[in-house]
Amino acid sequence: MRSTPARRTAGIVLAAAAGVVALAGPASAHVTVQPGNAQQGGYTAVDFRVPNESDTASTVKLEVNLPLDHPLASVRTLPLPGWTATVEKAKLDKPIKVHGNDVNEAVSKITWTADAGTKIAPGQFQEFRVSLGPLPTDTESMAFKALQTYDNGEVVRWIDETKAGQPEPAKPAPVLTLTKAPAAAGASPAADSHTTHPEATSSQDQAASSSDAKSSDSTARVLGVVGIVVGVIGAGFGVLGLRRKGDSAAS
C-alpha cells in the first residue's frame, strides 16, 4: 500500500511530460525559411519548409506572399516534381534601382499546387526552393506570410508577426533575418602577419627537406652503429661457443 503514492507521483510526472511533448510538437511544426538568415544586398537561395501538422489530412497547396515594402527584383523557383509553381507580380508604387536599371514591378506571391497524386502526407514535410535577390539593405528581416491548404479544405494562415520581447504567436509568418555585409577593407596587419610569401614557403620547404635529410642520415648512422655492436656481440658469443666445444673435447 505504501507504494501507491509513489505510483501516483510517477503517473503525474509522466502525464505532465506527455503534455509538454504534446505542446512542444505543434509549436515546432511551423512553416519556416531555411536557412533563416542571409546577407543584406546579396542573392540567396532559401527553402520554405512545410511540415504537415494534420493526422488525417494532407497538404496540397502552399501560397507565399513576398513583402512589397521591400520588393525583390529577381525571384526564381526551383522545379519540384509533382508541384506546379505560379508566380504573380505587382506594380510598384515607386520603382527601385537594380544594377542601374529601374524596376517597376516585383513578385508579390508564389503558389505551389500539388499535381494529381502528389501531397504532403501526415508525418511528412516538403521544401520549396526559391532564389531571391538582391536583398534589401535597409531592414534586418523580411516576413513571408504563407497559407497552407489541406485536401479537406482547411487553410492554415501563417501570417502573424513575431514581435521582440513578446511570446511567439501561434501561427508565425516565416521570417528571413538579414545581416549586414562585412565592410570591404584591405588585409589587416594581423592577416599580413599570417601571410606566407612564396619565397618564405620555398625556404621553409628547403629547411624542412634539409632537416628531414639530416634526420634520415642520423638514423642511418645510428642503425649502422647498432648493427656493428650486434655483430660484435654475435661474434663474441661465437668465440665462446667454440672455446666451450674445445674444452669439452679436451676433457
Side-chain angles (χ1 to χ4, degrees), residues 32-188:
T32 57
V33 180
Q34 300 294 332
N37 56 75
Q39 192 175 102
Q40 292 179 347
Y43 289 78
T44 189
V46 299
D47 292 317
F48 289 99
R49 182 175 296 172
V50 182
N52 195 89
E53 293 187 309
S54 175
D55 295 330
T56 58
S58 300
T59 299
V60 292
K61 185 166 70 171
L62 173 69
E63 300 170 67
V64 175
N65 293 276
L66 283 67
L68 290 180
D69 55 343
H70 292 96
L72 298 169
S74 176
V75 177
R76 293 181 173 85
T77 60
L78 183 69
L80 181 63
W83 295 83
T84 299
T86 304
V87 177
E88 298 180 24
K89 294 184 177 182
K91 187 173 180 63
L92 300 177
D93 295 333
K94 181 180 179 181
I96 58 174
K97 284 280 189 182
V98 178
H99 304 305
N101 299 317
D102 288 334
V103 175
N104 298 301
E105 62 178 12
V107 173
S108 57
K109 183 166 72 171
I110 306 173
T111 302
W112 286 270
T113 305
D115 299 337
T118 301
K119 60 186 178 181
I120 308 174
Q124 298 180 347
F125 75 94
Q126 181 63 61
E127 293 181 335
F128 302 85
R129 172 152 289 204
V130 181
S131 172
L132 307 171
L135 299 173
T137 58
D138 57 349
T139 183
E140 296 180 349
S141 65
M142 297 182 71
F144 300 87
K145 296 183 178 181
L147 278 65
Q148 180 180 7
T149 302
Y150 288 86
D151 57 7
N152 63 358
E154 178 186 2
V155 178
V156 180
R157 301 169 63 83
W158 302 95
I159 62 174
D160 298 332
E161 295 184 9
T162 302
K163 298 182 179 180
Q166 296 185 11
E168 184 181 65
K171 303 296 180 184
V175 174
L176 178 65
T177 300
L178 302 178
T179 59
K180 292 186 179 298
S188 63

